[in-house]
């Protein structure tokens, strides 16, 4: 089946091809994915079901981060899932040279994703002329309250000399847009890069301060065409007693902190960053809430935050699919479930886009994939998360009823492609899908009934599920 542009992928399919290079044997327990190739493509992502982030090849550097349910609507475009301001914009420089994407100077490289805890670890030696520096990076997005994202960076210069480390929260440039609300056909040369760019958030406020061995950064942004505000607040810490010169900047779309020090050869320097998130869906001052959340996480400390995240994921893995005697199939099955869990959480009332929280693929719209392909596995293993997916359809029932009425039908007509409001968002060039792929109504209804069969929750059925079933039946 085509979706207008012929790309066939899903949150499951795209990521099974990502994390493990062919020459690297998988871990015996089927939980660790890894590669020794710094040039591998595409990159894996990790998440907690509310925030996802693509892991950079070198472990540091700004990469797309997608927040569940945060959409924008640019001029003449279709609504799209929006890219959050980058919170992993870390840079490292030895002397005057910043560590970049060139891999000819990177040796002893290793990157893993531990699916037990959704932690990515990257390590390598960076060689620049006659200087060598060891780099170790750990990244995770906690599944435990207050759901902070965390990065640990350790730099070990082998020789003495100047070392610079930069941390930044940064907005993204507005993408070159296509008029998808009126475009009648796509160019055959277009691919995902041309069509599936993530939506844009406009930065409206940013701040950077330093106090002792702690830097505090914050940024607030508004998705184009939406009134919602999205805020990030970060705390960066480094060891006390470092002889360093710090510079803070908050210019343009960036809140940035840079630390310069005279490094001792052979000594390791560790920096930690905790980042919290909030929106106006939760409070009128999301930047204040994000700041309180990161302060709570900072007071607990990086080690405690990491332990809480590990416990939260351990509870998720109490339900598992164990395949004896098939280690490769075991790894594949766990990877499928892992990336579903990275893209969905309880209490969100959101469906899962085809690419999960990994990218702006398929514009981040919710298709029938969410109800038919992703939901059944979750309703049997994590029914609280599956409830969010059926709740999305119940929450957007008024939009489905309005869609039916606009098309001359009674009942509820769920859209072929939905944004966070449940509105039909199919690009104009694929309008035939919006009008003819009406099996989506059946997919929505079946998922609602499957939730009842799996949970036996008759109170939910009477309050929510029945209304969706009746609306689709009337249609």
């Amino acid at each position: 089946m085509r979706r207008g542009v012929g790309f066939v992928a899903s949150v499951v399919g795209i990521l099974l091809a990502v994390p493990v290079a062919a020459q690297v044997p998988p871990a015996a327990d089927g939980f660790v994915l890894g590669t020794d190739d710094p040039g591998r493509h595409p990159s894996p992502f990790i998440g907690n079901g509310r925030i996802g982030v693509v892991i950079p090849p070198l472990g540091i550097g700004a990469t797309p981060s997608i927040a569940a349910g945060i959409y924008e609507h640019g001029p003449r475009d279709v609504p799209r899932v929006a890219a959050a301001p980058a919170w992993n914009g870390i840079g490292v420089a030895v002397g005057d040279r910043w560590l970049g994407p060139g891999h000819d100077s990177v040796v002893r490289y290793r990157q893993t994703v531990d699916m037990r805890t959704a932690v990515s670890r990257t390590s390598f030696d960076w060689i620049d002329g006659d200087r060598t520096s060891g780099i170790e990076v750990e990244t995770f997005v906690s599944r435990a309250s207050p759901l902070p994202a965390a990065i640990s960076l350790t730099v070990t210069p082998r020789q003495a000399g100047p070392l610079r480390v930069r941390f930044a929260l940064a907005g993204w440039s507005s993408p070159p847009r296509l008029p998808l609300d009126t475009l009648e056909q796509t160019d055959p040369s277009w691919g995902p890069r041309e069509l599936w760019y993530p939506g844009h958030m406009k930065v409206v406020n940013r701040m950077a301060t330093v106090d002792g061995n702690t830097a505090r950064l914050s940024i607030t942004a508004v998705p184009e065409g939406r009134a919602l505000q999205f805020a990030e607040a970060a705390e960066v810490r480094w060891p006390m007693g470092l002889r360093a010169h710090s510079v803070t900047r908050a210019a343009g779309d960036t809140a940035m902190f840079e630390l310069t020090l005279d490094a001792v050869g052979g000594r390791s320097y560790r920096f930690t960053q905790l980042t919290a998130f909030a929106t106006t869906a939760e409070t009128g001052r999301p930047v204040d809430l994000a700041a309180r959340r990161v302060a709570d996480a900072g007071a607990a400390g990086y080690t405690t935050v990491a332990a809480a995240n590990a416990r939260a994921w351990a509870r998720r893995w109490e339900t598992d699919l164990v395949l004896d005697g098939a280690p490769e199939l075991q790894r594949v099955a766990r990877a499928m479930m892992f990336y579903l869990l990275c893209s969905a959480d309880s209490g969100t009332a959101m469906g899962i886009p085809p690419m999960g929280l990994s990218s702006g693929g398929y514009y981040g719209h919710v298709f029938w994939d969410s109800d038919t392909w992703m939901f059944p596995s979750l309703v049997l293993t994590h029914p609280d998360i599956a409830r969010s997916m059926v709740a999305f359809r119940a929450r957007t029932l008024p939009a489905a009823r309005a869609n039916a009425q606009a098309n001359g039908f009674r009942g509820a007509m769920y859209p072929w492609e939905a944004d966070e409001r449940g509105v039909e968002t199919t690009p104009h060039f694929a309008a035939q899908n919006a009008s003819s792929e009406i099996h989506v109504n059946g997919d929505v209804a079946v998922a609602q009934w499957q939730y009842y069969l799996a949970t036996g929750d008759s109170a939910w059925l009477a309050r929510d599920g029945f209304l969706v079933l009746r609306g689709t039946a009337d249609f």
Side-chain angles (χ1 to χ4, degrees):
M1 179 174 299
R2 299 187 67 204
R3 290 191 177 133
V5 291
F7 304 126
V8 180
S10 71
V11 68
V12 173
I14 185 176
L15 288 155
L16 292 181
V18 168
V20 179
Q23 74 272 22
V24 181
D29 62 4
F31 272 105
V32 179
L33 310 173
T35 180
D36 291 338
D37 178 12
R40 83 285 182 274
H41 182 79
S43 285
F45 83 100
I46 58 174
N48 62 3
R50 294 173 183 262
I51 295 284
V53 65
V54 174
I55 298 300
L58 298 183
I60 59 174
T63 50
S65 186
I66 303 296
I70 308 297
Y71 287 71
E72 57 97 88
H73 192 181
R76 301 187 64 195
D77 203 350
V78 295
R80 304 172 172 271
V81 68
W87 48 267
N88 59 345
I90 298 176
V92 176
V94 175
D96 294 327
R97 175 159 177 179
W98 291 92
L99 174 61
H103 304 304
D104 55 340
S105 59
V106 170
V107 298
R108 289 182 283 279
Y109 174 89
R110 179 67 173 164
Q111 186 173 83
T112 61
V113 173
D114 187 342
M115 295 186 290
R116 294 182 194 87
T117 55
V119 174
S120 169
R121 295 181 176 90
T122 309
S123 62
F124 56 90
D125 280 350
W126 173 33
I127 301 174
D128 179 25
D130 60 354
R131 304 193 62 171
T132 301
S133 300
I135 307 291
E136 297 179 16
V137 188
E138 177 180 273
T139 304
F140 63 90
V141 187
S142 179
R143 208 168 189 109
S145 182
L147 307 176
I151 303 174
S152 171
L153 167 68
T154 302
V155 183
T156 308
R158 310 295 185 212
Q159 298 83 22
L163 170 66
R164 283 191 288 170
V165 182
R166 177 183 297 163
F167 293 83
L169 306 180
W172 299 96
S173 299
S174 183
R177 293 189 182 273
L178 293 170
L180 295 189
D181 61 342
T182 57
L183 192 68
E184 294 190 357
Q185 62 181 16
T186 60
D187 189 305
S189 67
W190 290 346
R193 184 186 300 273
E194 287 76 21
L195 286 168
W196 291 347
Y197 47 88
H200 180 241
M201 291 193 194
K202 181 181 178 181
V203 174
V204 295
N205 193 18
R206 67 278 180 283
M207 183 191 72
T209 63
V210 177
D211 181 15
N213 71 323
T214 302
R216 294 179 176 85
L217 311 174
S218 67
I219 195 167
T220 303
V222 177
E224 268 195 68
R226 295 286 200 260
L228 178 139
Q229 288 189 358
F230 180 88
E232 300 174 354
E235 284 192 1
V236 181
R237 295 186 179 180
W238 55 94
M240 294 290 291
L242 287 185
R243 291 191 302 169
H245 173 64
S246 62
V247 178
T248 58
R249 301 175 186 169
D253 289 348
T254 302
M256 188 180 75
F257 160 75
E258 187 175 301
L259 186 76
T260 304
L261 57 97
D262 295 322
V264 177
R267 178 178 175 180
S268 295
Y269 298 87
R270 183 172 184 250
F271 307 83
T272 60
Q273 175 183 329
L274 297 172
T275 307
F277 312 90
T279 74
T280 45
E282 304 170 279
T283 177
R285 290 278 300 171
V287 70
D288 292 345
L289 178 56
R292 288 196 298 272
R293 285 172 170 168
V294 80
D296 289 344
Y302 186 96
T303 300
T304 299
V305 169
N309 173 64
R311 289 193 297 271
W313 273 96
R315 288 191 291 272
R316 286 297 172 195
W317 287 116
E318 288 173 359
T319 301
D320 193 10
L321 176 64
V322 179
L323 304 173
D324 292 331
E328 181 62 17
L329 185 58
Q330 177 72 83
R331 183 177 64 94
V332 169
R334 286 216 174 103
M336 289 180 170
M337 182 57 69
F338 172 70
Y339 281 113
L340 285 175
L341 292 174
C342 285
S343 298
D345 195 16
S346 58
T348 64
M350 273 302 302
I352 306 177
M355 311 300 280
L357 299 183
S358 71
S359 72
Y362 292 107
Y363 325 101
H365 295 170
V366 178
F367 289 79
W368 63 295
D369 304 43
S370 181
D371 309 88
T372 294
W373 301 117
M374 303 177 187
F375 173 81
S377 296
L378 289 170
V379 77
L380 293 177
T381 56
H382 304 278
D384 61 319
I385 293 179
R387 184 169 183 142
S388 282
M389 302 169 75
V390 290
F392 170 68
R393 298 303 191 180
R395 177 173 65 81
T396 60
L397 179 58
R401 287 172 174 156
N403 191 36
Q405 185 175 10
N407 285 278
F409 301 111
R410 64 182 182 180
M413 183 179 180
Y414 280 92
W416 178 240
E417 303 185 30
D419 63 5
E420 84 284 13
R421 305 166 303 171
V423 174
E424 178 62 75
T425 54
T426 301
H428 184 67
F429 68 80
Q432 71 279 2
N433 290 339
S435 60
S436 63
E437 296 284 3
I438 60 174
H439 69 80
V440 62
N441 259 25
D443 296 292
V444 169
V446 167
Q448 301 285 316
W449 188 242
Q450 285 177 333
Y451 181 80
Y452 169 67
L453 293 179
T455 65
D457 191 341
S458 57
W460 168 88
L461 180 65
R463 184 182 63 253
D464 297 324
F466 173 71
L467 297 178
V468 175
L469 291 169
R470 184 175 65 183
T472 55
D474 287 346
F475 173 79

